[in-house]
Amino acid sequence: MAQDTFFHKKTTLNAGGKLIDLSTPKVMGIINITPDSFYAGSRKPGVDEALQQAEKMLADGAAFLDIGAYSSRPNAEDISIAEETERLLPAVEAIVTAFPDAVLSIDTFRARVAEAAIKAGAHIINDISGGTLDEGMFATVVRLQVPYILMHMKGTPQTMNQLAQYDDVFTEELDYFVSRYQQLKQLGVHDVIIDPGFGFAKKNEHNYTLMNRLQDFDILGLPTLVGISRKRMIYGLLDTTAAEALNGTTVLNTIGLMKGANILRVHDVKEAMEAVKIWEMVNSSKTF
């Protein structure tokens, strides 16, 4: 098993008093409260649409719902903090009311947006910038004492494509995670999850190098999130579209599981759960 490494890897997460066991991989469903996310099927700009998506994803087995109101696709429009908050909070409040046991992650790089959402009932902050785009983010995470998803990205969604240059992408990311995690640890953050940031300031060769070496991040002792669902690294390679990338997504998610991924962040929860169940059976100690 990929997770049976020399390094002790943290596999529990305290989200709003709920202790979540990540030794069995979990699935995080994506709900975009946006009109312009890269995959049209993920756009749920209305509260009713978001509620329907939340209900379906939870029924399909999602352990987390990741809710975002700022599109981070390349060259996305840079909306204001006020607009992001106004899009996000009604959906968060409605989902918290309808599904009080659901564990909600908030996809934002802005501390004020994150804090408002956590106060509205969310549990986790998922920051694509790893605190680099808002100097107040780490202090906010400490004050709120919530789990923090630390992703690697260069620049902003508007500039990242021009910054996809590395001498050694894995080593650069590892150094980044060591540095950022040390800061978080010294500040008193207890639950950190790392995300290699597939597709964020990465060319295809960088994305696939990181996937190939995913298990090597276990040296950090932290849970790993893989977010490759329907991305260009799949449909660009296969010469299809995001709408046609479900099969490729399932294949790559399965490879991620084999290399130690603890959380799969996906648009299609049912198919990801099937991959997890099959992976579990392959890795079980049962004999027939």
Side-chain angles (χ1 to χ4, degrees):
M1 289 176 62
Q3 290 168 325
D4 292 336
T5 62
F6 176 78
F7 306 101
H8 177 68
K9 187 174 180 180
K10 190 175 188 291
T11 54
T12 56
L13 191 68
N14 187 332
K18 302 178 180 74
L19 197 63
I20 299 167
D21 178 12
L22 298 178
S23 61
T24 298
K26 299 295 188 286
V27 173
M28 173 181 282
I30 301 167
I31 301 178
N32 290 319
I33 316 299
T34 56
D36 59 342
S37 293
F38 81 91
Y39 172 49
S42 73
R43 301 170 192 165
K44 307 295 176 184
V47 171
D48 288 344
E49 293 172 284
L51 275 172
Q52 290 170 12
Q53 185 77 329
E55 183 176 24
K56 181 180 187 304
M57 287 179 160
L58 291 168
D60 285 344
F64 310 97
L65 300 176
D66 191 48
I67 308 169
Y70 182 110
S71 175
S72 55
R73 63 176 174 80
N75 303 311
E77 180 188 358
D78 183 25
I79 64 171
S80 68
I81 290 177
E83 184 173 353
E84 184 181 358
T85 305
E86 287 164 12
R87 285 181 182 179
L88 182 68
L89 288 190
V92 171
E93 290 165 353
I95 293 171
V96 167
T97 299
F99 308 105
D101 293 330
V103 179
L104 307 187
S105 165
I106 300 301
D107 181 1
T108 185
F109 56 83
R110 290 163 163 166
R112 282 169 52 191
V113 176
E115 183 158 11
I118 295 297
K119 288 181 176 177
H123 309 88
I124 299 168
I125 296 172
N126 180 11
D127 180 3
I128 62 169
S129 80
T132 63
L133 295 181
D134 187 336
E135 61 183 15
M137 181 61 89
F138 281 13
T140 299
V141 175
V142 174
R143 187 170 65 257
L144 298 174
Q145 279 300 307
V146 292
Y148 181 67
I149 300 172
L150 172 68
M151 199 188 88
H152 176 273
M153 178 179 72
K154 288 183 178 181
T156 69
Q158 293 74 35
T159 65
M160 62 185 178
N161 275 359
Q162 290 75 53
L163 301 173
Q165 298 175 4
Y166 305 87
D167 292 328
D168 180 338
V169 66
F170 174 80
T171 300
E172 187 167 324
E173 278 214 6
L174 186 62
D175 289 346
Y176 165 90
F177 284 131
V178 168
S179 173
R180 303 303 283 173
Y181 175 55
Q182 281 300 115
Q183 292 179 51
L184 287 162
K185 192 175 180 181
Q186 288 170 5
L187 288 168
V189 178
H190 300 297
D191 287 313
V192 177
I193 300 156
I194 62 165
D195 176 354
F198 295 100
F200 287 82
K202 316 285 191 309
K203 296 177 182 176
N204 253 19
E205 57 264 34
H206 304 135
N207 290 317
Y208 284 98
T209 294
L210 291 169
M211 181 60 78
N212 184 46
R213 298 199 63 184
L214 189 70
Q215 71 275 14
D216 293 340
F217 285 116
D218 286 355
I219 192 172
L220 298 166
L222 299 172
T224 306
L225 181 149
V226 164
I228 51 83
S229 183
R230 295 183 181 267
K231 286 186 175 179
R232 185 179 294 275
M233 67 181 289
I234 297 167
Y235 70 79
L237 180 68
L238 302 178
D239 195 24
T240 57
T241 65
E244 299 170 297
L246 177 54
N247 183 61
T249 295
T250 300
V251 171
L252 201 54
N253 274 332
T254 303
I255 292 169
L257 291 170
M258 293 169 67
K259 290 181 172 289
N262 300 98
I263 301 172
L264 301 178
R265 181 181 181 272
V266 301
H267 300 97
D268 308 278
V269 171
K270 179 177 180 289
E271 290 79 359
M273 286 297 299
E274 289 174 352
V276 170
K277 287 177 183 177
I278 290 170
W279 176 88
E280 282 186 278
M281 182 57 74
V282 170
N283 283 277
S284 73
S285 58
K286 294 178 182 178
T287 58
F288 300 95

